[in-house]
Amino acid sequence: MKSMFVLAQAAPEHLGWLSSKLLGVTLTSAEWVLWLLTALSVLSIAIMLERALYFARHRLAHSEALAVRLTRGEFEAVREAVKGRSGMEAAVLQEGLAASSHGADAVEQLIASVIARERPRYERFLSFLGTLGNNAPFIGLFGTVLGIIKAFHDLGSLSAKGGAIQQTVMAGISEALVATAVGLAVAIPAVVAFNVFNRQLKTLTSRTTALGHALVGSLRSEAN
């Protein structure tokens, strides 16, 4: 133990210029990493709430019933049901019914363009949640590494012996590991929310496509 302590004290004297500069940078407190993770956590929660409200407000609750009405040719009833509504499903029905006089092929192309236009509005901010979920643990790990470097540097410059040395090292390492825990705490909800919203978007796109097929099929049957 004594020999390790002597080496820890002597090591900084043998560092090169670049190593000493980098060591000076890494010896800064890792608390800024915790503040960064806290800010990212608050931002991710705000995005989750905003996306949840957006998905809830921009969907049709009874799209299956509307699809049945479309197959029956009840276009006026469907037009009234989606009047004033917003979202991918409503936009497809509103614009598809408005262009029904141009024929089934034109409506089919219009539906594809409406889906392509509306989908990015649902995907807004989802890339941030995915990126945060993948990288927050690494940000926390970076803070842990900084904390451990500082703990061992403090050990090398400490003149105390025995229990004081152990207390200094253990306290520094335990404080450093908090950054990893916080990084995981930030990443897990972000990953869960990202997967949930992507699943909802896939379901919504499938329902919208089904409504479009019902409308196009009804128009083609009327044309025949």
Side-chain angles (χ1 to χ4, degrees):
M1 181 67 183
K2 184 177 180 180
S3 61
M4 292 178 61
F5 180 67
V6 172
L7 286 174
Q9 287 183 316
E13 300 178 0
H14 299 87
L15 291 177
W17 180 85
L18 182 58
S19 297
S20 62
K21 294 297 182 182
L22 292 176
L23 181 61
V25 173
T26 56
L27 287 178
T28 58
S29 175
E31 187 175 357
W32 66 270
V33 177
L34 297 178
W35 281 108
L36 175 61
L37 289 171
T38 301
L40 291 174
S41 177
V42 172
L43 183 57
S44 67
I45 292 173
I47 290 175
M48 293 176 201
L49 294 176
E50 188 274 337
R51 288 292 86 189
L53 289 174
Y54 186 89
F55 274 77
R57 292 176 178 175
H58 294 78
R59 64 184 298 271
L60 295 178
H62 306 290
S63 63
E64 295 84 359
L66 293 178
V68 173
R69 287 189 171 187
L70 287 173
T71 57
R72 294 174 180 172
E74 301 175 6
F75 294 159
E76 287 301 323
V78 174
R79 187 178 284 109
E80 287 298 321
V82 299
K83 186 176 181 180
R85 302 295 298 271
S86 58
M88 186 187 299
E89 297 164 298
V92 162
L93 292 178
Q94 291 166 358
E95 298 186 28
L97 289 171
S100 58
S101 59
H102 298 290
D105 292 336
V107 171
E108 187 173 13
Q109 295 296 323
L110 177 63
I111 289 172
S113 67
V114 171
I115 292 176
R117 184 193 70 204
E118 293 290 328
R119 187 180 177 91
R121 299 179 182 178
Y122 291 86
E123 293 175 336
R124 188 183 181 190
F125 301 130
L126 294 188
S127 60
F128 175 83
L129 293 178
T131 302
L132 181 62
N134 289 330
N135 293 283
F138 295 105
I139 298 175
L141 181 60
F142 178 67
T144 296
V145 171
L146 291 180
I148 291 176
I149 291 174
K150 189 175 186 303
F152 278 97
H153 182 268
D154 292 342
L155 172 63
S157 59
L158 192 65
S159 59
K161 298 181 180 180
I165 295 177
Q166 183 178 1
Q167 182 179 1
T168 300
V169 175
M170 291 301 102
I173 293 177
S174 62
E175 183 179 352
L177 290 174
V178 172
T180 298
V182 173
L184 292 173
V186 173
I188 292 173
V191 170
V192 172
F194 177 77
N195 291 332
V196 168
F197 288 133
N198 267 319
R199 182 60 185 172
Q200 289 184 2
L201 180 55
K202 289 180 181 179
T203 301
L204 182 66
T205 304
S206 298
R207 292 171 56 175
T208 305
T209 303
L211 289 171
H213 287 165
L215 176 59
V216 170
S218 183
L219 290 174
R220 284 177 175 164
S221 64
E222 284 188 356
N224 296 331

